[in-house]
Amino acid sequence: MSTRVSTNLLGSELRHERIFRFMVDSVRDYAIFLLTPEGIVATWNPGAERLKHYTADEIIGQHFSVFYPEKDILAGKPEYELKGATEVGRFEDEGWRIRKDGSRFWANVVITRILDERGKLIGFGKITRDLTERRAAEQRYRMLVDSVQDYSIFSLDATGYVTSWNSGAQRIKQYAAEEIIGKHFSTFYTPQDIEAGMPERVLRTATETGHYEGEGWRVRKDGTRFWSSIVVTPILDEDARLVGFSKVTRDITDRKKLLEELQRHSEELELQVAERERTNAELEAFSYSVSHDLRAPLRAIEGFASALREDCGSKLDPAAHEYLQQIMNASTRMNRLVRDLLEYGRLGRVELSMQSIRVSQLAEKLLRENYSGEKVVVQGDSWLAVLAHEPTLTQMLLNLISNGLKFQKPDTAPRVEIAITRGDEGMVRIAVADNGIGILPQHLGKLFRVFERLHGVEEYPGTGIGLAIVKRGSERMGGRCGAESKEGEGSTFWVELPEAKAK
Ligand code: ADP
C-alpha cells in the first residue's frame, strides 16, 4: 500500500495539489503532514499545529523524531517506523508523543509511503490523531472492570476464544490472564455440557436474541465445580457485525446450597407432619375403637357384680362385700374414663356446627340445671355472644365449673365466678375463677394434656380429660384457652372464643 502522485509533490505547484493542500489545511482534528524520505518535516497543517503546538515555521525542516519521547528515540523507534512504512507501504502505531511544551498525548499514528511514477520513494504522509481522551476512558473502564472481585468479567472473540480477563474472573475460576487468554471458553464447562453442545448454544442464543442468561455448573482450573449465574451479551461493531461477546459470571454456589438445604428441610418437615398426622389419625381411630370395645366387657363386669350382690349378697361375708364394692367402684371409674375418652376423640373428628350463643344465658341455664344455691355466680356483659358449637361449649363450661368446685380447700366454702368480658381483638373471654387450692405455676402448662392430673383419685376424683376437652374444644372453635393461678389462692381458667357479630 502506498500513495502515488503524478509529479514531485514536494516541489510542484499544480492545481490539484493546491486543492489537496486546501483540504488538508482545513482539517483541525488530525495532524496531517509530509516527511522527506529522511524524516524531515516538509509540510504542516493547522491540525498539526493544534495537536503539537509548533507553528509551521518552527517545525518545517526539523526531524520528526522531536515528536517522540526520549526513550523511543533511544530505541530507534522513529527510524523503525519509517523503515516499516518504506517496506510495507503503511505503518500504524499507538503510543505517547511529545508536544512543543514537553507535554504528552496518546497518539494514533499512520505513516504512508509515497512513491513517484517510477516507484522511487519521495517521502511519507503522516496522520496523527490525539486519543488521550479515549485511552483514559478505556483505562477507567478497565480499572473498573478489574476492581470488581465478586464477578468474573471477561470477553470472547466471535468464536468464543477469551480475549480479556478481570481479577474477579481470576478469583472465581483460578486462571491468571496469561493462562486463559486465547483459550476457548468451553474450558469452563463440564464434559457433559460440552458434549451436549452447551457452549455453542450459549453463544448462538446470545447472538440471535442479543442476550443469554442462565445458571449451571462450571469448572475451575483445579477441576472443582461451582454453581454459576451467567450473562452473555454480544458485542457488535458500528455496522452491527458480531465482533465478540462479553460474559459476566457470578459464583452462587453458597446461595444454591442454602436453597437446597432449605428445600430439603421443608420436605423433611412436610414428611414429619404427614407422618405425625397419620400417626395421630391412627391413634385416634385406635383409641376410639378400644374405648368402644371396652364398653361391652365393662357392662358385663358391672352387671355381674350387682347380680352377685343382689342374688348372693346374704351368702357373702363382709370381706367379700368389700371386694365387691371395690370391683364396682373400679368399673364405674373405668366407665367414666371410657366415656370421657370417647368424647375427647369425637371432638377431634366431628364437624362442629357453629351458632351465635349468648354466654351468660347459657351459663345461667347450666347453673339452674346443675348447681343449686349461691356458690356459682355469673358476671359481666350479659349481651356478649360467641360463635360456638353449643354442646361443646356447654361441656367445656361444665368441666371448668366442676373443677372449680372440686379442687377446694377443706376449710373454705367453695365459690366459683364466671366473668364474661371482651378479650383480645374480636374475642370474648370467659373466665372461670375459684377460691380453691390453686396450682403451682410450673404445672399450669401441662394440665391441658390428656390424663395429666396433679392429685390422686382418692383425694380428688376425676379422669384427667376435662381440661383436654376444654383445649381441643376452644381450638376447634377458633379460640384458645389458658390458666392463671397461685398455689393456695385459687385459680382462673379462661377460654377465648370469636365474638358473634350482632345481626
Ligand atoms: P380431672 O378434673 O378429671 O382430674 P382435668 O383435665 O379437668 O381432669 O384437670 C386436670 C388436673 O388439673 C386436675 O386433676 C387438677 O390437678 C388440675 N386442676 C384442674 N382444675 C383445677 C382447679 N380449678 N384448681 C386446681 N387444680 C385444678
Side-chain angles (χ1 to χ4, degrees), residues 403 406-407 434 439 447 452-455 462-464 466-467 491:
N403 277 351
K406 180 166 64 178
F407 295 102
D434 62 54
I439 303 160
L447 295 180
E452 285 288 352
R453 309 195 75 236
L454 301 175
H455 312 275
T463 58
L467 287 180
S491 325

Side-chain angles (χ1 to χ4, degrees), residues 382-449:
S382 60
W383 284 96
L384 278 177
V386 293
L387 202 60
H389 179 243
E390 190 173 320
T392 303
L393 182 56
T394 304
Q395 181 67 58
M396 286 160 60
L397 287 176
L398 282 175
N399 290 357
L400 292 180
I401 297 166
S402 70
N403 277 351
L405 295 173
K406 180 166 64 178
F407 295 102
Q408 283 298 329
K409 291 183 270 197
D411 49 353
T412 317
R415 184 178 163 81
V416 171
E417 275 178 24
I418 303 172
I420 302 153
T421 53
R422 280 218 160 75
D424 278 354
E425 203 174 310
M427 303 293 254
V428 171
R429 188 181 178 95
I430 308 164
V432 180
D434 62 54
N435 60 343
I437 55 173
I439 303 160
L440 284 170
Q442 63 266 36
H443 293 143
L444 281 175
K446 62 179 185 191
L447 295 180
F448 291 90
R449 288 189 225 136

Side-chain angles (χ1 to χ4, degrees), residues 481-501:
C481 62
E484 285 137 25
S485 178
K486 257 193 188 158
E487 205 189 17
E489 292 182 24
S491 325
T492 302
F493 283 81
W494 57 263
V495 172
E496 277 190 354
L497 292 174
E499 182 174 357
K501 296 281 164 287

